[in-house]
Amino acid sequence: MDYKRFLSGPKNAGLFGSAPPEKPFSKAEQASQHDEGIRPATSSSVNTLPKARLSASREGPQPGPQSPRLGNVGTFILPPPTNIQSLGPDPTYSLSRATTHTTRARTESGSNAKSSGDKRDAVNADILQRVKGTFQGADRDGSGRLATHEFVKAFLGILQTEDGGDAEALSKLFMRIDANSDGSIDWDEFSSYMLLESQGSASIRELESSITFEAPVTPFVPEGGAHRDVITAISHVQLSNGADRYVTCGKDGVVKVWNCKDMKLLKSLAVGKSWVTCARLLPLTRKLAVSSFSRAMKIYDLHTYELCGQIAEIDYAPMAMDVWVPHRNKDVEMVVFGDGGGFVRLYELRINPLEDKNSNDRFIDTPKWAYQHHSDWVTSVKYVEDTNCVIAGSLDKFVSITDAEERVPLKVLEGHIKGVTTVDWSSMYKFVCSGGQDRRIYLWNPFSQKPLAQLTGHTGSLQQVIVNDRDNQIISLGSDKTIKVWDIRNHKCLQTVQDRELYPLDDTLHAMEFDMKRKQLLTGNLKPKMWQQIITTSASAGHRDPITRVLYNPMFSEAVSGDHGGTVSVWHVPSGKLRFRFYNAHEDQRITAMNFDTARRRLLTGSESGEVKVWNFSSGACLSRLKPRNREEVTAVLAIRGSLMRHFLVAGWDRRITFYEDNAERSVGPGRSISGHRADILDMVIMENSPTVVTASDDGEVWAWNIDSGAPKRKMIPPGHADRSPDERPIEAVRFLHGKMRNILVSVGADRFMRFWEVHEGVCVLEVFTGHKLGETVLALAIDPKNEVVVTGDSGGFIKVWDMSGFRSSSHAGMPPSCSEAAAATALASAGGGVPMVREVAVWRGHHKVITN
């Protein structure tokens, strides 16, 4: 937006019409214009500004001598190289640049990645050297290793991960690097993780769904419904009753309220004769605050549309506004203005209890402070809850950051060569985003005050930038009606669209708003226009081969899946996005078994050749290889950890359990083994807080073992086992219940029965026919942590959900019901006189082929 003509007096009016502000500025403020109407700053305003603009005005308290504080931003980003455009793809050092490593499986980028010489996708030596300096500086004892608290303290505000940049996110990053769970990491572990993870992460972006905007749609607006002059601001507001509205502000002095669902005009509010600059919803009272060139802010009730309060006689016209509720006082609302005098002003609003609810003066406004941080008009302000500070952009080319409570100017960001017109904040990546009349977008580190990246490509002045953290995007609007969508992580322009409609009054767009709920962008000249967001899913993001197993890791909220082609994929469950992938885990062999270690930081994969590998699944680094005793297929792997031993257990078609030491060796040979099964072992599971391991085999037998002694404890054979044909005998999956009922084992298999076993006694206490289709085998089994729900899946792709709360309630002090009690309950339920201990509650076909896990 060309704010120079927006705020000038009558002589300079033009872009926003002929009506001047009600309080004209001084002649000194009305400078000549050139080059798109931008006033070039004088030498005095530029050269002396870094000191002069930080002094408090006479209206606010003077800054104290203490050092400015920004609060817990959680994101310093490494000092940028000389050429900030070659810093790399992420606004912070987010561990996402590409390289190669000889000890990892091939990542997704192996054949499709860009050249390693691409500076935008590589961790260069300069970055690694600076990270290493920080790492070594945190090593106070000289051991060469950092513990969790040392790592978090050293890199808080320096590293940014996909989980964020705060202490919790860095603790998760530490756990990912410290895969062996020894509580410390050295530089080799850290640097290897950065290099390996970055290669896979960079390539994964090529597989992500494409998120763009389709052609705009202009809703029908009846005659007289559109603004009579150009729209200057658009807001999306949520009412107290749950309904939401779009609010448009115009140079015609009118605010219009639109129904979001059908875009019908609900109300036109005549604010005055002056141009309306901004509208914000007060978060506590749910009233609409509207600022205008009348040097006032008016407050409207969005249900009755009546005036209910105002802040009058502001010294300069408020150009921009933001609102919030402070953490320390939930009974008030804060309003910050950026005005035409270069001031950033903070007001406190509270309800006046003495006023009638129908009064038009229901609010008490209290000025908190006012600072003239800028020598030119403040065009944009943004309150940042993460740091409790206010970001302001000005036509003096600077961006200021002011602490909302300490009332001292904190940071000044310098880099734009012309006026700044818009600012925004990324709460996920912790950076400031600004756009200006120099047609450039800057991403800033608020700690270092250095630009992290510069996005170029616009051919007109920037009107507005919006950070869309959810989709990892920045949306920018230019004065030539061009909209660009940028990827935050690699700074690439994903899409460029242009509003090609010719507007007779003023052929430009000044504002936009992104509706996260409806996934659409709004712009407008005289009436709103919608740009619907469209998501194109990449067909290559999923597995190309049958999936062997999928595991859920609650520590990282991730699912890890492996397939017959040797591909391992890591998925972020809340978003469904692919986070990481590596290939050829076992060369040309199928992955046949998978499990996590006890700390859930490493992944174990077994293959059809008998080989087992241990991985850091977050980076694709192979940590260890367990050499096979023979070349029989592995069907189950377990990690056990006691006070005196750490072992991996491997079972499969060799019909035995083989022990491997869990140590730091790159290659580990087999240790002792225990045997007894006469058929192939199909599954293996360990009881919680117990040395008891259970194996299930192809001949229908279930064995319980004491892994300390290696002796079998129980051999459990299903009822009627001898009468079944061999193809109905296999037990495909076994799982233990949790907590006090951890001694209860559930098994499913080819005969389509679900059985509950008391392992210590070796007896079947309950047998339930699942009703899966004849000819199908029940292959998959899952139990929720509360022992309330069981889920089964079969070879035909059908899924069934079972309520086992009756079985749980029939248990006594953690002991299951006896066989006679279970039989009696089952008989009673069959006769219609009671509730079954386990009952089916849902069934559907989830897949067209076999459900393996």
Side-chain angles (χ1 to χ4, degrees):
M1 186 181 297
D2 192 335
Y3 286 100
K4 207 49 192 172
R5 285 182 283 175
F6 180 90
L7 282 169
S8 307
K11 291 182 180 180
N12 294 324
L15 179 62
F16 281 79
S18 58
E22 295 190 7
K23 179 178 178 179
F25 299 106
S26 65
K27 293 182 179 180
E29 292 173 315
Q30 300 177 16
S32 60
Q33 304 169 43
H34 65 85
D35 190 10
E36 299 180 331
I38 304 167
R39 187 189 66 177
T42 63
S43 59
S44 60
S45 65
V46 173
N47 297 336
T48 63
L49 188 57
K51 292 183 180 180
R53 59 190 158 84
L54 294 181
S55 61
S57 73
R58 54 182 175 84
E59 300 178 45
Q62 294 293 328
Q66 68 272 21
S67 299
R69 177 177 63 83
L70 187 59
N72 185 19
V73 176
T75 304
F76 165 66
I77 302 84
L78 297 171
T82 304
N83 179 5
I84 61 173
Q85 290 180 305
S86 65
L87 175 62
D90 292 289
T92 66
Y93 185 76
S94 62
L95 308 181
S96 58
R97 295 143 177 102
T99 186
T100 57
H101 198 279
T102 57
T103 61
R104 68 171 296 164
R106 184 174 69 85
T107 67
E108 177 67 49
S109 59
S111 59
N112 299 323
K114 295 182 179 181
S115 167
S116 59
D118 187 349
K119 292 182 179 181
R120 295 183 63 83
D121 291 319
V123 177
N124 58 46
D126 178 51
I127 290 176
L128 280 177
Q129 200 62 35
R130 284 177 282 145
V131 175
K132 185 176 182 180
T134 304
F135 188 96
Q136 293 175 334
D139 180 21
R140 300 300 177 84
D141 58 5
S143 64
R145 307 186 68 85
L146 298 184
T148 306
H149 67 280
E150 294 174 315
F151 178 82
V152 172
K153 183 178 179 181
F155 288 99
L156 185 63
I158 293 180
L159 292 181
Q160 181 72 26
T161 75
E162 295 214 15
D163 297 310
D166 56 11
E168 181 181 358
L170 291 183
S171 295
K172 285 186 178 182
L173 174 61
F174 182 90
M175 289 189 287
R176 292 180 188 274
I177 301 170
D178 181 30
N180 60 4
S181 305
D182 64 4
S184 65
I185 60 174
D186 60 22
W187 171 246
D188 287 341
E189 289 177 296
F190 185 30
S191 59
S192 295
Y193 177 88
M194 287 194 297
L195 298 174
L196 294 176
E197 191 270 351
S198 64
Q199 181 177 356
S201 295
S203 63
I204 287 304
R205 294 182 192 131
E206 303 300 325
L207 299 177
E208 288 183 346
S209 299
S210 152
I211 303 175
T212 54
F213 293 103
E214 61 182 9
V217 175
T218 303
F220 170 75
V221 177
E223 186 176 354
H227 283 273
R228 288 173 290 119
D229 211 334
V230 177
I231 292 173
T232 58
I234 305 174
S235 296
H236 180 215
V237 300
Q238 189 85 26
L239 306 187
S240 56
N241 61 5
D244 55 345
R245 302 285 185 260
Y246 295 134
V247 177
T248 57
C249 307
K251 295 191 300 181
D252 54 2
V254 174
V255 170
K256 292 183 180 288
V257 183
W258 310 78
N259 189 322
C260 294
K261 292 183 179 180
D262 54 18
M263 293 306 296
K264 287 185 178 179
L265 178 63
L266 301 177
K267 187 67 175 179
S268 294
L269 299 173
V271 177
K273 297 181 180 180
S274 300
W275 310 328
V276 181
T277 58
C278 191
R280 290 286 185 268
L281 184 72
L282 297 174
L284 184 62
T285 57
R286 317 305 288 181
K287 310 297 184 186
L288 185 69
V290 178
S291 61
S292 70
F293 269 19
S294 62
R295 296 186 293 112
M297 183 198 78
K298 296 183 178 181
I299 303 173
Y300 293 90
D301 188 312
L302 280 172
H303 295 289
T304 63
Y305 299 109
E306 294 178 349
L307 180 67
C308 56
Q310 64 178 326
I311 300 176
E313 297 300 321
I314 303 173
D315 286 349
Y316 291 86
M319 269 291 306
M321 173 176 58
D322 205 359
V323 295
W324 72 92
V325 176
H327 289 295
R328 297 183 181 179
N329 190 349
K330 299 295 184 179
D331 297 327
V332 301
E333 295 165 304
M334 310 303 294
V335 181
V336 66
F337 297 110
D339 67 26
F343 286 87
V344 180
R345 303 174 185 271
L346 183 66
Y347 285 80
E348 178 185 277
L349 286 179
R350 64 174 67 242
I351 295 291
N352 187 348
L354 301 179
E355 288 289 335
D356 183 77
K357 65 178 183 178
N358 296 320
S359 169
N360 61 3
D361 193 18
R362 285 175 246 169
F363 287 84
I364 300 174
D365 60 273
T366 305
K368 304 301 290 184
W369 48 255
Y371 287 101
Q372 193 173 17
H373 293 333
H374 299 276
S375 63
D376 214 325
W377 295 297
V378 177
T379 55
S380 181
V381 291
K382 175 74 175 180
Y383 172 71
V384 177
E385 184 179 6
D386 300 341
T387 59
N388 193 33
C389 64
V390 176
I391 303 170
S394 169
L395 292 184
D396 63 3
K397 306 184 294 186
F398 298 102
V399 176
S400 65
I401 305 177
T402 308
D403 190 292
E405 289 185 2
E406 297 299 321
R407 299 183 297 178
V408 293
L410 291 178
K411 301 289 181 181
V412 177
L413 310 179
E414 306 178 23
H416 281 281
I417 59 176
K418 293 182 180 179
V420 178
T421 55
T422 174
V423 296
D424 203 359
W425 169 258
S426 169
S427 58
M428 177 182 293
Y429 293 97
K430 314 297 184 191
F431 65 81
V432 178
C433 180
S434 66
Q437 295 171 324
D438 54 9
R439 308 170 184 174
R440 299 174 183 176
I441 300 170
Y442 280 94
L443 310 185
W444 305 88
N445 166 25
F447 274 151
S448 68
Q449 303 169 247
K450 300 290 185 180
L452 302 167
Q454 181 186 132
L455 311 182
T456 59
H458 273 283
T459 56
S461 299
L462 268 298
Q463 306 280 53
Q464 191 172 349
V465 293
I466 295 175
V467 176
N468 175 13
D469 278 327
R470 186 192 65 180
D471 298 321
N472 301 300
Q473 291 181 346
I474 295 171
I475 307 168
S476 58
L477 172 66
S479 59
D480 57 356
K481 303 183 295 182
T482 297
I483 299 169
K484 288 183 176 288
V485 182
W486 310 82
D487 191 314
I488 289 177
R489 298 158 302 177
N490 59 22
H491 303 165
K492 293 180 179 177
C493 182
L494 304 176
Q495 184 185 21
T496 299
V497 293
Q498 190 170 29
D499 185 348
R500 300 189 180 280
E501 182 178 350
L502 294 177
Y503 300 109
L505 186 62
D506 188 359
D507 190 27
T508 188
L509 298 175
H510 294 306
M512 63 178 174
E513 175 77 355
F514 183 67
D515 183 349
M516 197 74 69
K517 178 180 177 180
R518 291 175 177 78
K519 299 180 180 179
Q520 64 184 10
L521 184 72
L522 269 78
T523 61
N525 183 272
L526 297 179
K527 52 189 176 183
K529 180 175 290 189
M530 290 104 50
W531 308 68
Q532 191 66 44
Q533 191 181 67
I534 53 175
I535 301 176
T536 306
T537 304
S538 171
S540 59
H543 285 272
R544 300 174 184 173
D545 296 289
I547 298 173
T548 303
R549 184 155 298 218
V550 60
L551 309 169
Y552 178 66
N553 192 316
M555 183 183 301
F556 303 118
S557 299
E558 291 176 342
V560 181
S561 55
D563 65 27
H564 286 187
T567 299
V568 176
S569 299
V570 182
W571 309 85
H572 184 236
V573 173
S575 66
K577 291 182 178 180
L578 179 65
R579 273 196 166 178
F580 192 78
R581 170 175 285 171
F582 56 94
Y583 290 104
N584 298 339
H586 293 274
E587 286 74 43
D588 58 345
Q589 302 295 314
R590 293 184 298 122
I591 294 176
T592 55
M594 284 175 47
N595 212 336
F596 290 123
D597 70 348
T598 54
R600 298 181 182 271
R601 300 189 193 181
R602 293 175 295 174
L603 178 72
L604 288 75
T605 60
S607 72
E608 60 182 335
S609 65
E611 180 187 55
V612 174
K613 289 184 178 181
V614 184
W615 305 88
N616 183 332
F617 62 89
S618 296
S619 66
C622 182
L623 306 175
S624 185
R625 176 180 177 269
L626 311 185
K627 294 185 290 187
R629 186 185 298 275
N630 50 56
R631 295 191 61 81
E632 297 290 351
E633 181 174 310
V634 175
T635 56
V637 289
L638 280 178
I640 58 174
R641 186 172 188 174
S643 57
L644 299 176
M645 66 172 186
R646 293 172 58 171
H647 284 97
F648 298 124
L649 274 58
V650 178
W653 288 5
D654 63 354
R655 307 178 182 183
R656 66 176 65 229
I657 302 174
T658 302
F659 289 70
Y660 291 84
E661 284 191 27
D662 179 4
N663 54 37
E665 298 296 325
R666 301 286 304 174
S667 181
V668 181
R672 66 188 176 102
S673 64
I674 52 179
S675 60
H677 279 284
R678 294 171 297 175
D680 300 341
I681 295 175
L682 302 182
D683 200 8
M684 177 171 59
V685 66
I686 187 169
M687 184 189 298
E688 289 179 4
N689 304 317
S690 170
T692 301
V693 166
V694 168
T695 52
S697 64
D698 189 55
D699 60 0
E701 294 183 352
V702 179
W703 288 52
W705 307 82
N706 185 315
I707 56 174
D708 289 337
S709 64
K713 297 172 62 176
R714 294 283 183 230
K715 182 168 74 170
M716 296 166 279
I717 300 176
H721 176 265
D723 299 329
R724 291 187 174 87
S725 62
D727 59 353
E728 287 188 328
R729 293 179 179 177
I731 301 296
E732 298 287 352
V734 287
R735 296 290 183 271
F736 275 108
L737 298 189
H738 310 284
K740 293 181 179 180
M741 300 182 70
R742 62 180 180 273
N743 58 315
I744 306 300
L745 180 81
V746 184
S747 67
V748 294
D751 63 358
R752 298 176 290 148
F753 276 87
M754 177 166 50
R755 297 181 176 90
F756 291 74
W757 305 83
E758 206 294 319
V759 173
H760 293 321
E761 298 297 328
V763 295
C764 178
V765 297
L766 181 63
E767 186 178 63
V768 179
F769 182 66
T770 62
H772 283 275
K773 292 179 65 175
L774 181 64
E776 305 295 352
T777 297
V778 182
L779 296 167
L781 175 66
I783 302 171
D784 82 308
K786 296 181 179 179
N787 301 324
E788 294 179 346
V789 176
V790 180
V791 183
T792 56
D794 68 22
S795 54
F798 283 89
I799 300 169
K800 288 196 174 189
V801 180
W802 305 83
D803 179 2
M804 57 173 288
S805 56
F807 180 84
R808 188 185 65 168
S809 61
S810 300
S811 303
H812 310 289
M815 296 300 294
S818 64
C819 296
S820 59
E821 289 174 330
T826 302
L828 183 63
S830 300
V835 179
M837 288 189 174
V838 178
R839 62 187 181 90
E840 179 184 321
V841 294
V843 59
W844 70 93
R845 189 169 192 179
H847 298 268
H848 294 293
K849 295 186 178 180
V850 178
I851 294 176
T852 56
N853 172 235

